[in-house]
Amino acid sequence: MLDSTGKPHIAWHEGNEDEPPLAKIFYATWNGSSWVGADGGPIGAIYNSPYPSLWTSIAVDSLNRPHIVWSDGDEKNREIYYLKWNGSAWVDADGVGQESINISNTPLYSSWPDIEIDASGNPHVVYEEVSEGNQEIFY
């Protein structure tokens, strides 16, 4: 994803889905000479879940700040998580802390999220929910 200045932002999962080390979500941006984390320091996981974190998607807002969604959980119940960089920390949609990081919050299997940011800076997320073999798209 390129921001308004042409600077690249990337997010990915790294690790294993079913055995340690479990997959975590990472973020990096190019500072002109090297890849760095959101705070300009070393690249690291943006969230430490006890479950594998997979299938990430990234968007950048008008302030050139990244917004990231991914699927997190065990093989029976996965949820869609969301974090954005507020300039000093990874936070959820309200901009304070991570108490509302889980945006799907269902007993279903949630996966394959995608995110876009509108002109007002609001995130729009779509993802797949699976229940008893029935696949549906949620927004």
Side-chain angles (χ1 to χ4, degrees):
M1 172 65 57
L2 297 178
D3 67 22
S4 65
T5 68
K7 185 168 84 169
H9 299 258
I10 58 173
W12 70 96
H13 75 262
E14 185 175 309
N16 299 314
E17 186 173 347
D18 52 10
E19 61 183 54
L22 294 177
K24 302 289 181 208
I25 302 299
F26 291 82
Y27 164 83
T29 188
W30 183 252
N31 70 4
S33 60
S34 62
W35 290 100
V36 296
D39 62 0
I43 298 167
I46 68 167
Y47 180 73
N48 288 312
S49 172
Y51 301 105
S53 302
L54 304 166
W55 307 308
T56 186
S57 179
I58 185 172
V60 179
D61 64 25
S62 63
L63 297 174
N64 298 324
R65 294 181 177 167
H67 297 243
I68 299 175
V69 291
W70 69 94
S71 182
D72 198 284
D74 63 26
E75 68 277 354
K76 295 178 185 170
N77 183 26
R78 298 193 66 78
E79 302 292 351
I80 302 302
Y81 282 25
Y82 164 82
L83 286 176
K84 65 181 178 180
W85 182 253
N86 70 2
S88 60
W90 289 102
V91 296
D92 60 28
D94 68 7
V96 182
Q98 296 182 356
E99 70 285 346
S100 299
I101 189 172
N102 182 343
I103 64 172
S104 57
N105 203 21
T106 70
L108 305 176
Y109 190 91
S110 306
S111 60
W112 300 109
D114 194 20
I115 186 170
E116 294 292 333
I117 307 299
D118 68 22
S120 298
N122 298 308
H124 297 268
V125 178
V126 296
Y127 56 94
E128 177 186 78
E129 287 274 350
V130 179
S131 176
E132 299 175 14
N134 186 26
Q135 297 172 312
E136 297 181 299
I137 301 298
F138 280 50
Y139 170 79

